Amino acid sequence: MMHELNRMLQQEGGSLADVVRVDIHLTDLKQINALDSVYAEFFEPGRYPARTCTESPHLCGGSAVEITLMATRQRG
């Protein structure tokens, strides 16, 4: 999923480095440690964007995780 989000940002001339906020919904909040491991692969340590993580037992389409990113856009 993170690779797809990165690809979408790149299509618009951005990258994960431009992300300032992440909203994550998990069907099981006990999976937060696994999520943190994946999260650390995509964001530079010490420069993590602001994040909200909630448990939402019924996500659209039967997904286990839903992620929304907010990124800055470069002028020019």
Side-chain angles (χ1 to χ4, degrees), residues 24-69:
I24 302 171
H25 304 281
L26 297 171
T27 56
D28 181 0
L29 204 52
K30 292 177 187 164
Q31 297 300 315
I32 189 115
N33 290 332
L35 171 78
D36 286 342
S37 295
V38 172
Y39 200 77
E41 293 178 30
F42 290 90
F43 295 105
E44 185 180 328
R47 295 197 44 146
Y48 290 169
R51 179 175 88 173
T52 299
C53 188
T54 62
E55 184 173 73
S56 302
H58 304 288
L59 296 176
C60 185
S63 297
V65 62
E66 181 177 304
I67 299 174
T68 303
L69 302 177

Side-chain angles (χ1 to χ4, degrees), residues 5-31:
L5 292 169
N6 189 40
R7 184 193 65 75
M8 290 168 37
L9 286 167
Q10 289 175 344
Q11 280 184 311
E12 298 300 322
S15 73
L16 288 171
D18 300 317
V19 174
V20 294
R21 180 176 174 81
V22 181
D23 294 327
I24 302 171
H25 304 281
L26 297 171
T27 56
D28 181 0
L29 204 52
K30 292 177 187 164
Q31 297 300 315

